[in-house]
Amino acid sequence: MSYLNFYFRDLEYDDGFYGGTFSAPDYGVFCKFLYDREKREIIDIWDNSKPVEEIMKDMLQSIYWLDSKLEEKGTLRKNESRICY
C-alpha cells in the first residue's frame, strides 16, 4: 500500500534531517518522525496511530516525494501535502 493522500505538518529540516508530523488520514496513519536525509532512513517514529513497522515502509515513499519537492523547489513550507483527486 502507498499513501495517495498524505500530509507533512510542522516540518523542520536542514541538510541532515527532516522532522515533523506525518499523516495519511485515509489509512488512519498519524505519527511524529525524525528522518536522516544523508542515510535515507527513518531514525524514530513516535506518537503513532499504528505499529511502526506498518507505517515505516510506505512512509519512506512519501519522504522520497518530499525529497523530490525540495530538490525541485529548493525549499519546503512548514506544511506540505500531496492530494490526489
Side-chain angles (χ1 to χ4, degrees):
M1 151 186 46
S2 295
Y3 304 125
L4 293 177
N5 301 317
F6 54 84
Y7 306 85
F8 290 97
R9 296 195 191 340
D10 302 320
L11 268 174
E12 295 186 23
Y13 67 96
D14 58 24
D15 290 338
F17 298 93
Y18 289 130
T21 301
F22 173 79
S23 65
D26 297 337
Y27 297 95
V29 173
F30 175 88
C31 67
K32 293 185 179 179
F33 73 97
L34 183 60
Y35 175 78
D36 186 321
R37 293 179 60 205
E38 293 175 10
K39 293 181 180 177
R40 294 186 176 254
E41 64 185 30
I42 297 170
I43 295 173
D44 197 8
I45 291 179
W46 67 98
D47 290 342
N48 41 309
S49 61
K50 293 195 173 202
V52 171
E53 298 78 27
E54 281 186 42
I55 294 173
M56 194 173 292
K57 181 180 146 196
D58 290 321
M59 187 180 163
L60 282 173
Q61 292 176 348
S62 301
I63 289 176
Y64 293 146
W65 172 86
L66 196 64
D67 283 337
S68 297
K69 187 160 190 161
L70 178 58
E71 185 175 314
E72 178 185 323
K73 304 264 184 193
T75 188
L76 294 172
R77 296 176 298 184
K78 191 98 170 142
N79 298 310
E80 292 285 356
S81 60
R82 177 176 177 241
I83 309 298
C84 299
Y85 296 98

